[in-house]
Amino acid sequence: MRLRDDNQLTQPKLAKRVLFLQAILTLAVTVAAAAFGLVPALSVFIGGLACLVANAAVALVIFRDYQASEPGQLLSRLYAAEVLRILLLIGSFAAAFLMIDGLSLPALLGGYFLVQVLAPMIAAQTTPNARHQPGPTAANGPGAPRETSDQATS
């Protein structure tokens, strides 16, 4: 019996894809922030890099020697990975502000947020199975004709 489609990404492959996209986005957002100066660019880079490192550590903890037959162990790995992520982020941000004078907190948090949010969104839109998901139909989708108040009363 076949359990998954050959085009389906496995969870570790999807995690690698998201991490790759986070690396690309970190560089792209840093280049964009360079238009505002060195300090914003460095701040955005550190925020994106902190996001990438924390998520890479989470992926390593969760998918290391992964066996689906042990759900209790997976749950404890998930909790440990989240604690590790929080500690890495706090440590990264604290170290950055202690070691580098003049960092921009809004730029650092903005870089982190953009990389954290956009990479999974892009990965979800570009995965092979995302295109096979049922979307809105003509009857109820965003382009569907809507009843006006005149049509509803007649």
Side-chain angles (χ1 to χ4, degrees):
M1 184 169 155
R2 199 177 187 142
L3 295 178
R4 65 178 179 88
D5 184 358
D6 288 336
N7 291 332
Q8 181 178 2
L9 289 173
T10 61
Q11 293 301 321
K13 286 183 181 177
L14 183 58
K16 287 179 186 175
R17 183 181 179 107
V18 169
L19 291 172
F20 175 75
L21 288 169
Q22 285 181 333
I24 298 298
L25 281 170
T26 297
L27 295 175
V29 174
T30 300
V31 168
F36 299 99
L38 180 62
V39 171
L42 183 60
S43 300
V44 165
F45 179 73
I46 291 170
L49 190 61
C51 176
L52 177 63
V53 168
N55 288 331
V58 166
L60 285 173
V61 168
I62 291 174
F63 296 116
R64 172 185 41 98
D65 302 326
Y66 174 72
Q67 292 183 358
S69 63
E70 302 171 3
Q73 185 182 17
L74 179 60
L75 183 61
S76 64
R77 279 187 184 189
L78 288 170
Y79 285 130
E82 283 305 315
V83 169
L84 177 63
R85 179 196 324 255
I86 292 167
L87 292 175
L88 281 172
L89 288 172
I90 291 171
S92 297
F93 291 161
F97 277 101
L98 289 173
M99 296 171 60
I100 303 169
D101 290 332
L103 282 181
S104 168
L105 180 62
L108 183 129
L109 294 177
Y112 170 80
F113 181 77
L114 286 172
V115 170
Q116 179 69 25
V117 172
L118 289 180
M121 287 175 62
I122 293 169
Q125 295 298 317
T126 59
T127 54
N129 285 345
R131 287 177 278 207
H132 300 296
Q133 298 297 323
T137 62
N140 65 2
R146 306 267 183 231
E147 275 190 355
T148 63
S149 59
D150 294 335
Q151 291 173 334
T153 57
S154 53

